[in-house]
Amino acid sequence: MIKYENKEPKAVGCVYLLGEHNHYNDSDFYAQYIDVEKGTFEYEEYDTTRFGGGGYATVDLDFEHLNKFWEKAKPILSESVKKSLFREAEEITKGKLVVVNRGRKVPHGVTGEVFWLKEVNYDPYQRAWGWKTKIGLKDDVGNVYWTYADNVDVVSPENYVNEDMVEPRLKRQYDHLFDIACKLRKDEDKEVLKKEFYRF
């Protein structure tokens, strides 16, 4: 719940985290909560040490609001997870098939499997901007090429993503929130609560 003086409380039964941003002289206090109607995660700063007259908040997530939220949130989060997985699939890692599209030393169009990666910095002063990922790739006839990860793209990144990868990530998000709601019911057994309220 988030409450301001002379105002109706908001996000009742929906706040799952309180936090604080520490600055040089001041702090800002925030709450993270679920929006049951939108099926989204929300954030609000409710108080600060800069001036008086802020509000207050408490963690009060309950199962009723969580499960109503999840009905709307699951398809939204599912799309978000798929996008995240696709971005991960585009990352250069060992075992992926890549094609050289940039750079000067390796001909563009060379395709091979990444078998080696290493972070290197050839700047004599080891400055931060000098760090790059160097990779080794081997084509289908055994030729080996050395270049930088910036010069290649993953071939068909969609091949590294499937529906079976989505559900476990969604479950982790739901379970995290469910655990918070369980902890607020301090005197009750989690397994008993799970039988009654668990909806994943």
Side-chain angles (χ1 to χ4, degrees):
M1 175 183 70
I2 303 171
K3 181 73 169 68
Y4 300 98
E5 188 176 355
N6 300 322
K7 291 185 179 180
E8 287 294 313
K10 64 183 293 185
V12 176
C14 297
V15 176
Y16 63 90
L17 179 70
L18 300 180
E20 178 181 348
H21 293 303
N22 294 307
H23 308 289
Y24 186 74
N25 288 319
D26 295 287
S27 294
D28 298 318
F29 304 94
Y30 65 87
Q32 289 179 235
Y33 62 95
I34 54 174
D35 188 311
V36 175
E37 299 303 317
K38 296 179 182 176
T40 56
F41 293 104
E42 301 294 337
Y43 164 97
E44 183 166 330
E45 290 187 357
Y46 62 87
D47 200 5
T48 181
T49 58
R50 290 185 179 86
F51 48 80
Y56 69 90
T58 57
V59 174
D60 63 346
L61 181 66
D62 60 45
F63 300 115
E64 179 183 0
H65 287 92
L66 169 59
N67 288 326
K68 284 182 180 176
F69 158 80
W70 196 254
E71 287 179 13
K72 287 200 171 182
K74 189 173 182 180
I76 297 170
L77 292 173
S78 179
E79 289 305 309
S80 176
V81 168
K82 287 176 185 176
K83 289 178 182 178
S84 177
L85 286 167
F86 191 80
R87 286 193 297 272
E88 289 177 21
E90 292 180 311
E91 294 175 3
I92 310 304
T93 57
K94 284 184 183 178
K96 286 183 178 174
L97 189 67
V98 299
V99 57
V100 178
N101 287 325
R102 294 168 292 280
R104 292 178 294 130
K105 292 186 177 180
V106 180
H108 294 190
V110 166
T111 301
E113 183 178 309
V114 178
F115 67 88
W116 182 87
L117 296 97
K118 185 177 181 180
E119 294 296 314
V120 297
N121 190 337
Y122 297 124
D123 179 67
Y125 302 104
Q126 296 288 292
R127 287 171 289 199
W129 53 260
W131 286 101
K132 298 182 77 174
T133 303
K134 193 166 187 178
I135 66 170
L137 59 130
K138 184 182 292 186
D139 66 17
D140 55 4
V141 294
N143 296 315
V144 172
Y145 302 90
W146 305 94
T147 186
Y148 293 103
D150 291 346
N151 294 333
V152 305
D153 297 304
V154 175
V155 176
S156 302
E158 64 275 6
N159 291 341
Y160 300 96
V161 179
N162 60 66
E163 290 293 329
D164 292 339
M165 300 166 70
V166 176
E167 201 77 354
R169 296 202 180 193
L170 290 175
K171 187 176 185 300
R172 281 199 294 271
Q173 292 189 54
Y174 178 85
D175 286 353
H176 174 66
L177 295 171
F178 189 84
D179 285 346
I180 293 170
C182 283
K183 287 176 182 176
L184 295 174
R185 304 276 287 261
K186 296 178 182 178
D187 298 328
E188 298 182 59
D189 184 86
K190 181 179 175 179
E191 291 306 312
V192 173
L193 293 171
K194 200 166 185 177
K195 287 178 182 177
E196 185 175 355
F197 296 110
Y198 195 77
R199 295 288 182 274
F200 187 84

